[in-house]
Amino acid sequence: MEPTGAERTAHVVWVSEEARIASFHPVEGYLPRRFWNHAFFMGYLYSLQRRSFRFQ
């Protein structure tokens, strides 16, 4: 069952296309990418990995 209301948490990754870095904490100048669905979030991270992004 999907959580609702206050139980629902966004998955967030901050991304710099220029530096090709994805961060799991806020970084000035990086764009936050928010996902409510964990599967979509993981798919996005996988797409970044395939594009040779570094993770921090």
Side-chain angles (χ1 to χ4, degrees), residues 30-48:
Y30 287 23
L31 296 175
R33 303 291 186 198
R34 291 180 176 84
F35 297 85
W36 293 106
N37 181 292
H38 186 260
F40 291 164
F41 177 66
M42 294 304 293
Y44 182 69
L45 295 179
Y46 181 66
S47 75
L48 294 177

Side-chain angles (χ1 to χ4, degrees), residues 13-44:
V13 62
W14 287 262
V15 176
S16 170
E17 292 282 343
E18 183 179 319
R20 300 184 77 78
I21 296 174
S23 176
F24 295 106
H25 61 274
V27 177
E28 188 174 327
Y30 287 23
L31 296 175
R33 303 291 186 198
R34 291 180 176 84
F35 297 85
W36 293 106
N37 181 292
H38 186 260
F40 291 164
F41 177 66
M42 294 304 293
Y44 182 69

